[in-house]
Amino acid sequence: MIRVVVVDDEALVRSGFELILSAADDIEVVATTAGGEAVDAVLRERPDVVLLDIRMPDVDGLTVLRKLRSVPDAPVVAMLTTFDADEYILTALRSGAAGFLLKDTAPDQLAQLIRTLAAGGVVMSPKASRAVWQSHPGAAADDDAGATRVGRLTEREREVLVLIADGLSNADIGTRIHLSAGTVKDHVSAILTKLRVSSRVQAALLAQRAGLLDERNRAESGR
């Protein structure tokens, strides 16, 4: 079972996520809470995944994220937001969040997104992540620097990077391109080093901003 904690200041949002996710056979919502009790709930329940509202009146979601990231055996944290261009999202991703979900995400997609997070993948809407990046004042300079670093990757590393941006875990990437999990792990480590980022989600953002996913989609549509 994938154990999930939902953190949001609105009881209706918490109950809605709990109702939807609890319908899946392999997911258990072990707690729902407002931000002030989030860390205590995580320490008590030891979830695999935390869905964390980024904007809460009682405590800032970024503050909660930093505290959760310091917990021993920290869970995977994905941010919840209402706005696809929320200026706080980029800070959260750079602070260790594994992705973000819009609160109006289709209910039939939620369970699979939780599975992706639990398996070590990243969760980001390409449209929303573009809006997030463009809301950042240094976006143009970041684009140029990121494109330069992406250009230094080998063909195989670029292939792996695209699959990271698709949200696949190391095991899923290995299955997709017929490599062992250890080899994929080595490729991911090399990618993070070359891109000068510290997480898969940051690498995924660079892949999207460098146009790798668009290139892949054009190639596939032309077949």
Side-chain angles (χ1 to χ4, degrees), residues 28 32 34 44 53 57 62-63 70 72 88-89 99 112 115 120 125 134 138 144 152 170 173 189 222-223:
E28 180 184 7
T32 66
R44 182 179 65 250
D53 187 9
L62 295 176
T63 299
S70 68
Y88 292 154
I89 285 293
Q112 186 53 47
R115 295 183 189 107
S125 160
Q134 289 166 357
D144 292 341
R152 298 187 184 123
N170 285 358
I173 292 172
S189 178
R223 291 176 183 172

Side-chain angles (χ1 to χ4, degrees), residues 109-175:
Q109 297 178 3
L110 282 177
Q112 186 53 47
L113 293 175
I114 293 297
R115 295 183 189 107
T116 295
L117 290 164
V122 300
V123 169
M124 295 187 298
S125 160
K127 176 182 177 181
S129 58
R130 280 194 291 270
V132 167
W133 196 271
Q134 289 166 357
S135 70
H136 174 54
D142 286 341
D143 278 358
D144 292 341
T148 298
R149 295 197 292 271
V150 168
R152 298 187 184 123
L153 301 179
T154 67
E155 183 176 348
R156 177 63 88 181
E157 288 167 350
R158 288 164 68 93
E159 183 180 18
V160 171
L161 177 57
V162 168
L163 296 176
I164 290 174
D166 281 340
L168 273 63
S169 65
N170 285 358
D172 291 335
I173 292 172
T175 300

Side-chain angles (χ1 to χ4, degrees), residues 27-50:
I27 297 174
E28 180 184 7
V29 178
V30 294
T32 66
T33 179
E37 295 77 42
V39 176
D40 288 340
V42 167
L43 291 173
R44 182 179 65 250
E45 301 294 346
R46 311 306 302 179
D48 304 296
V49 176
V50 175

